[in-house]
């Protein structure tokens, strides 16, 4: 009983901590600093809700993970899958009636919160993130809603193009590819780039419901979904669970539940107008991760313009109920090592709300911290944009895995080890490879050397003896692309759909014959940064491919042909 009492006390402390953290951050000032009509661009279309059918609900149930934990109603997704034909009509009726009457069942608003450790001391409550476990029925209803909402947003291009989070066809890889290309293009033109990496405090947990609903309306999401979301987001309660012990019930006053299906799309609608307040910088967003870039040749003038954009972001955050984390917001000056700027970088500030209300008189805000290297969406960006820090970071992760693979090689079959290679090693190497793969050959060689060490563990002793003296043969034997070729593979594959829009075919006069017929124009560039731009690398690589691969209209066939071609190019 004493132990149970201790666990109950821990649960209650977690619940109190999660609530107090949000209350300390959240602000309730109703004063507005920006005229909303000046930066909000309303679409010409609006969403029309279509009642869901039994078949749609059945598809949703079949797609959801059967191993997810049940919510407070103890209904398991695996059980619903067993009786999917019988429950689909019932749940479809619940979804349609819920939307029509703008009501969401109170029982489904109850969430179990599991504290998930982020980093630091495990005995400190603030080092845990709350993850909501919701009812299986709730997940099905949310999925039906978000399927229609997501289709509307994507079909009508409602979401800002700088946003890459939680959308079909977009990811951190698509963001990093465009981010990398813009920086390389500016460095080619002998400009430096000032990058600001913003951080928001508990952005999902502090969203104001009224502001969110207003943002939805501005995106064309009116009745009946707007009112449905009002009921969905209000009167929610949660209990923290540790082991089998639950805390007391607490009411959620703001935000969207983390772990819910509606949470991500609600956040995208809420922040959709953020990038529109920027006047001088380009923006890249993945959910609440925001980075802005501004290139120039005069550092003082460039930073002055960036400061105006920073002020706009702070004011937008104030008006929309979220708070910028000044301590974690950083800026980085990216430049060629051969280009030196004489001016010292002026200090820039993300003024807090108190300073904003005081008209920045007697400002005591700390300047934004300038860094030489920053981690952005899992990649390390350094001041010379050489990717050396990121390659070292990957090498360290792979070396840790290598020791584990070595011990596993004595205990598990080669086929199992190969599966582990693709799930762990290949995923680490492949993430953002079409961006960082543009680095110098000496860094790529370091990664390929580590790759070979893994491959030596995937084959038997006889195969290793055959390849002794030239272990690069293992790539072809294992049918695994080395990093240098995998980079080209991902470059072509990730830009497959934009080839026709961005590339120009070589043209010849009537009656002429040339080996370049059917190939793409490769533009001239100024330096090695220009050589790394997509405008140069993509057509240059595609021109090396056989014509039947280069012109393949079906993406899956193109993908298979490309991989086979690259594997065949390896030494036997």
């Amino acid at each position: 009983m004493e132990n149970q009492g201790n666990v109950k006390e821990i649960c209650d402390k977690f619940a109190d901590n999660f609530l107090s953290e949000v209350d300390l951050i959240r602000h309730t000032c109703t004063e507005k600093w920006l005229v909303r009509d000046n930066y909000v661009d309303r679409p010409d279309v609006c969403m029309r809700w279509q009642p869901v059918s039994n078949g749609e609900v059945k598809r949703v149930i079949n797609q959801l993970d059967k191993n997810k934990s049940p919510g407070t109603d103890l209904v398991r997704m695996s059980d619903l899958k067993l009786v999917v034909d019988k429950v689909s009509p019932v749940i479809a009726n619940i979804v349609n009636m819920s939307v029509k009457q703008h009501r969401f069942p109170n029982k489904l608003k109850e969430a179990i919160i599991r504290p998930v450790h982020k980093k630091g001391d495990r005995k400190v409550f603030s080092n845990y993130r709350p993850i909501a476990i919701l009812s299986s029925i709730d997940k099905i209803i949310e999925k039906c809603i978000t399927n229609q909402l997501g289709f509307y947003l994507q079909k009508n291009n409602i979401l800002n193009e700088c946003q890459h989070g939680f959308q079909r066809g977009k990811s951190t890889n698509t963001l990093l590819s465009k981010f990398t290309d813009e920086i390389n293009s500016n460095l080619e033109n002998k400009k430096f780039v000032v990058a600001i990496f913003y951080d928001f405090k508990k952005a999902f947990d502090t969203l104001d419901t009224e502001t969110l609903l207003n943002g939805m309306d501005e995106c064309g999401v009116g009745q009946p979904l707007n009112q449905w979301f009002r009921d969905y987001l209000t009167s929610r309660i949660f209990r923290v669970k540790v082991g089998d012990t639950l805390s007391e019930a607490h009411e959620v006053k703001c935000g969207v539940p983390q772990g819910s299906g509606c949470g991500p799309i609600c956040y995208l609608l809420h922040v959709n107008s953020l990038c529109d307040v920027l006047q001088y910088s380009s923006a890249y967003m993945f959910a609440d991760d925001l980075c802005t870039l501004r290139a120039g040749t005069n550092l003082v003038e460039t930073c002055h313009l960036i400061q105006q954009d920073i002020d706009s972001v702070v004011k937008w955050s104030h008006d929309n109920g979220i708070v910028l984390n000044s301590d974690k917001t950083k800026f980085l000056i990216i430049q060629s090592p051969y280009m030196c700027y004489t001016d010292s970088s002026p200090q820039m500030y993300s003024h807090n709300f108190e300073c904003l209300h005081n008209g920045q008189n007697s400002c005591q805000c700390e300047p934004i911290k300038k860094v030489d290297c920053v981690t952005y969406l899992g990649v390390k960006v350094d001041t010379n944009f050489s990717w050396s820090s990121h390659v070292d970071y990957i090498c360290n992760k792979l070396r840790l895995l290598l020791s584990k693979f070595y011990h596993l090689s004595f205990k598990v079959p080669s086929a199992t080890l190969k599966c582990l290679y693709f799930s762990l090693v290949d995923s680490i190497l492949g993430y953002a490879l079409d961006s960082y793969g543009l680095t110098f050959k000496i860094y790529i060689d370091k990664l390929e050397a580590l790759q070979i060490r893994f491959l030596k563990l995937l084959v038997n002793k006889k195969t290793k003896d055959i390849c002794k003296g030239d272990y690069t043969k293992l790539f072809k034997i294992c049918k695994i692309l080395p990093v240098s070729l995998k980079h080209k593979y991902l470059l072509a594959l990730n830009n497959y759909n934009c080839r026709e829009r961005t590339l120009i075919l070589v043209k010849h006069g009537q009656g002429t014959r040339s080996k370049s017929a059917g190939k793409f124009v490769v533009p001239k560039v100024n330096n090695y940064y220009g050589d790394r731009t997509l405008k140069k690398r993509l057509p240059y690589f595609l021109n090396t491919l056989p014509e039947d691969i280069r012109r393949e209209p079906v993406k899956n066939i193109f993908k298979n042909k490309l991989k086979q071609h690259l594997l065949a190019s390896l030494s036997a």
Side-chain angles (χ1 to χ4, degrees), residues 15-208:
D16 293 337
N17 181 75
F18 291 146
L19 286 174
S20 63
E21 282 184 340
V22 173
D23 289 337
L24 287 172
I25 294 169
R26 190 182 176 206
H27 77 99
T28 55
C29 177
T30 57
E31 185 177 353
K32 303 299 180 186
W33 288 94
L34 299 173
V35 179
R36 202 164 181 87
D37 290 339
N38 290 346
Y39 64 87
V40 173
D41 186 18
R42 293 176 178 268
D44 296 328
V45 295
C46 60
M47 180 181 175
R48 295 188 63 183
W49 167 259
Q50 298 295 329
V52 298
S53 65
N54 303 347
E56 289 176 75
V57 174
K58 185 176 179 179
R59 283 193 295 272
V60 166
I61 294 174
N62 288 330
Q63 289 169 0
L64 290 172
D65 187 356
K66 67 177 181 180
N67 297 316
K68 291 291 184 181
S69 301
T72 56
D73 58 6
L74 302 180
V75 177
R76 297 179 299 182
M77 190 63 69
S78 56
D79 295 333
L80 293 174
K81 286 177 178 286
L82 294 174
V83 291
V84 62
D85 292 322
K86 294 184 180 294
V87 299
S88 293
V90 178
I91 296 177
N93 188 49
I94 292 173
V95 175
N96 293 326
M97 291 296 292
S98 174
V99 174
K100 183 178 179 181
Q101 297 182 10
H102 314 152
R103 297 291 302 274
F104 191 71
N106 288 331
K107 183 62 180 177
L108 300 184
K109 295 181 184 180
E110 298 175 4
I112 294 173
I113 299 294
R114 284 285 193 182
V116 176
H117 183 252
K118 295 185 292 185
K119 58 182 179 180
D121 189 350
R122 290 182 176 272
K123 295 181 181 179
V124 178
F125 290 105
S126 58
N127 289 337
Y128 288 77
R129 176 186 291 110
I131 299 297
I133 299 174
L134 303 169
S135 160
S136 297
I137 305 295
D138 169 57
K139 291 174 186 175
I140 297 167
I141 296 174
E142 289 188 24
K143 190 65 177 175
C144 292
I145 300 290
T146 56
N147 280 350
Q148 283 201 35
L149 190 50
F151 177 77
Y152 160 76
L153 296 174
Q154 191 159 30
K155 180 184 176 182
N156 297 286
N157 296 316
I158 302 297
L159 297 178
N160 198 303
E161 63 178 9
C162 72
Q163 177 63 261
H164 290 254
F166 310 118
Q167 298 175 72
R168 183 176 297 176
K170 287 191 171 185
S171 64
T172 52
N173 277 314
T174 60
L175 184 152
L176 290 169
S177 178
K178 291 186 177 182
F179 169 83
T180 302
D181 197 52
E182 180 178 344
I183 293 174
N184 281 326
S185 297
N186 284 308
L187 294 178
E188 180 199 3
N189 295 323
K190 299 179 180 179
K191 296 179 180 180
F192 56 80
V193 180
V194 180
I196 308 292
F197 299 90
Y198 295 87
D199 186 85
F200 295 99
K201 294 181 180 179
K202 293 190 174 293
F204 280 76
D205 298 326
T206 56
L207 295 189
D208 177 71

Side-chain angles (χ1 to χ4, degrees), residues 524-548:
K524 294 181 179 180
V525 294
N526 299 325
N527 49 40
Y528 67 82
Y529 286 111
D531 192 57
R532 295 174 178 180
T533 55
L534 278 176
K535 68 180 181 182
K536 168 67 185 292
R537 297 313 307 169
L538 185 58
Y540 182 81
F541 172 62
L542 291 176
N543 286 348
T544 66
L545 300 176
E547 189 173 358
D548 66 310

Side-chain angles (χ1 to χ4, degrees), residues 19 31 53 92 95 100 102 116 141 168 189 191 215 230 281 285 325 339 348 463 467 476 491 493 496 516-517 560:
L19 286 174
E31 185 177 353
S53 65
V95 175
K100 183 178 179 181
H102 314 152
V116 176
I141 296 174
R168 183 176 297 176
N189 295 323
K191 296 179 180 180
R230 179 186 296 279
S281 308
M285 288 190 76
N325 190 344
M339 184 184 76
M348 292 182 287
T463 306
C467 299
K476 192 165 188 176
L491 184 72
L493 194 63
Y496 176 83
S516 61
N560 294 330

